[in-house]
Amino acid sequence: MKSLFSEDTVSEIRARIELLQENQNPKWGKMNASQMLAHCKFPLQVALGELALEKPNVFKRLLFSMFKSSLYDDKAWKQSLPTTKEFVVSSDKNFRNEKTDLLEEIEKFHTKKDQTEWPPHPMFGYFTQDQWGKMQYKHLDHHLNQFGV
């Protein structure tokens, strides 16, 4: 599995984002390209401590723990998976601004490649540096594939 801590992988993701067009239609899902770019920032912001999520109850945390490893394994995510309410984007967004902001968040995350201690994820608990890098790549890859780039 590729990692967003790899220089080659970050270059690949940047190039794919640059291929994305504002009016590009998704292969699945409800978001348009601008909304998808906004959505993709949120997991990076959680990892960087810039976005706090509501901590789920014990039952939900147990449920989430059952599929935690699917966040960073080699299996592709299914289309149209549900997302946490804080990551839902339904309002109109400015494509250029969202693209610039996402590229900046990717760069901020990538600069943490030597960080060994990470705060716990509010829903899934602790991830290693390797798991964080793979998970962030997998999320971006999933949504770029959604738009055919």
Side-chain angles (χ1 to χ4, degrees):
M1 171 60 59
K2 294 180 182 180
S3 169
L4 211 55
F5 290 128
S6 159
E7 219 36 77
D8 291 341
T9 301
V10 170
S11 293
E12 171 208 319
I13 290 293
R14 280 190 206 119
R16 290 170 66 188
I17 290 170
E18 291 300 333
L19 291 173
L20 187 65
Q21 301 295 311
E22 183 173 4
N23 59 355
Q24 207 156 338
N25 291 321
K27 294 179 181 180
W28 72 84
K30 299 175 184 174
M31 292 185 289
N32 63 33
S34 301
Q35 292 167 328
M36 179 273 289
L37 291 169
H39 165 84
C40 284
K41 292 184 303 189
F42 298 142
L44 293 160
Q45 292 170 337
V46 169
L48 293 166
E50 297 172 355
L51 177 64
L53 299 178
E54 187 178 317
K55 211 171 190 178
N57 63 40
V58 174
F59 174 73
K60 283 185 179 179
R61 282 197 308 263
L62 179 62
L63 181 65
F64 291 150
S65 71
M66 294 170 55
F67 64 91
K68 178 179 176 177
S69 65
S70 70
L71 296 173
Y72 51 82
D73 67 14
D74 290 334
K75 296 177 188 169
W77 289 345
K78 293 180 180 173
Q79 299 173 358
S80 300
L81 287 171
T83 191
T84 186
K85 65 183 176 189
E86 292 95 343
F87 291 4
V88 173
V89 179
S90 54
S91 61
D92 290 336
K93 298 291 179 184
N94 179 285
F95 181 79
R96 284 182 205 253
N97 292 347
E98 295 303 331
K99 186 169 150 181
T100 298
D101 291 350
L102 176 58
L103 290 168
E104 287 175 6
E105 290 297 323
I106 290 168
E107 190 57 35
K108 278 195 271 184
F109 181 81
H110 178 71
T111 63
K112 303 284 187 182
K113 62 183 176 254
D114 296 323
Q115 182 172 313
T116 55
E117 292 189 28
W118 292 81
H121 189 285
M123 295 179 182
F124 297 100
Y126 287 94
F127 290 104
T128 66
Q129 184 250 16
D130 183 60
Q131 291 166 340
W132 273 113
K134 289 177 178 178
M135 178 172 53
Q136 297 298 341
Y137 169 77
K138 192 170 178 177
H139 183 248
L140 290 166
D141 180 62
H142 173 76
H143 285 294
L144 292 172
N145 284 332
Q146 177 185 13
F147 283 83
V149 294

